[in-house]
Every structure is written in C-alpha cells, then in structure tokens.
Amino acid sequence: MCGRFVVAKTVGELLTIFEADEIVGEHPGPRFNVAPTQPISILVDRAFEKDEAGIPVGELSRELHVARWGLVPRWAKSPTEHAPLINGRIETILEKPSFKDSVVRQRCVIPASGYYEWQVGADGSKQPFYIHAGNDGMFALAGLYEWWRDDSKAADDPSRWLLSATTLTKDSAPELAHIHDRNPVLLTPETFESWLDPLHSGNAQLLAEVSRGSDLVAAEALFHKVAADVGKVSNDYPELTRAI
C-alpha cells in the first residue's frame, strides 16, 4: 500500500506540469511526508453542467482542487466514522460500495514526486524506501474522489462540503516487488487522459488498461533506502528523501 508520499513542487509548478486551467482552494506547499487525512492536491476534469443522466455537458475544465487524503463515502454518517480509506485495490473497486460509484465519473489524478514504502525483513525489521520519478519528474497517481455533505450545517455554508480522495493500488510491478507486494497505480500519458475524462465511463476495460500501463511506469521508477525518520508524521523536510 502507499501510506506516505512526497510532492516536492509548488502549486504553481503543478499547474504548469499538468497543464491545468485553474487552481481552486488553498493548496499545501511542497511536502516531503504527506500522511493520511492531510490535505492534498488533486487534478480533475470538470464540466459546469450535466444532463439528466449525470453526464457532463459542454467544455471541460482541468482544475487543481484540495482534498482530504482518505475517501469519505457520501453515505457515511461522519468523516471519522471509519478508518480513512487512503487506498483502494484496483482489482476490487468496482465491487466495493465505498468506491464503485466514484469509479464511474469521479476519477482524479494525485500528483506525487514519489512515495515511501517499507520493506519487511526476515527478522521483522522494516526498512523505508523512497520510490520516485527522478529529481525533476512527477508521478500521476490514479485516484478517486467524493463529496461528503454535513447536514448539520446550513445549505449556504461552504464548509458543509468535504472533498476527499483515495489512491489506487495494484499488485507490485516486478521491479518493485522486492520492496512491497503492492504499488500505487501509476498513469502513463495515454491512460492519464482516459482516467481524467469524465465522458469516459469507468469500467473493467479502463481499469485493465490503466493497470497494464502502471507496470510500464513502475519499471522506470527509481528507488533507494532512506532513514527511519520518515516514520514520524511530524517530520516533513527534504532530507527525508535522501539516500542512506
């Protein structure tokens, strides 16, 4: 699973790299140890109108939004009712009530410079690795998003709505399997566009295409061991990504 990741770019740089049209909300700056329930930047393609079937109508806008990492299903009684859904297994998301509706048209991309994973040794010891896209590269993680409504707040209260998101994972690519048996779903330039397009209904065919493409990206990923300091959520500085 992916439980910590890095975004070593400003929101302005993300806007340029991912060719977004607009920044919505107050985004966090560069982060080197993003943890569950913290705010993250997500990329969505959105139309301002929908038809009766909920299908977007008109020109799409590519936007960077701020979301809580840990998807909150719309039917949840509260955001803290269950453990945060930070990962969804791509093999089963079409079957899971918490994810299956979001797969259809609420897909997002989560920008990441890299992520941390812990390799468990034969003696039970855990060695953290930083798996990344190079000093100037960026991963595009496949994600899902959801809006949760707080009915205890007034209809005109902006804080009534919580935007949350989850990353997707898959069986690890062969090149990364020695570190962990799962890795985030990494998008190629081609699957990036299909994944974001809300006119493309999420289905098994799309998920299979995205899963295959992920292994191609993962095969090119760089990785190295890092210090155990990354295990402490309050630590958040560039040196966490340094090789040891």
Side-chain angles (χ1 to χ4, degrees), residues 176-223:
L176 301 178
H178 67 289
I179 300 175
H180 198 273
D181 62 355
R182 306 284 297 178
N183 65 248
V185 176
L186 308 171
L187 298 169
T188 67
E190 294 74 25
T191 57
F192 177 97
E193 296 297 334
S194 299
W195 186 256
L196 273 186
D197 188 355
L199 299 176
H200 192 315
S201 181
N203 52 31
Q205 181 178 348
L206 176 62
L207 296 178
E209 177 187 352
V210 166
S211 185
R212 287 193 298 269
S214 177
D215 284 348
L216 300 178
V217 180
E220 301 296 325
L222 305 176
F223 53 86

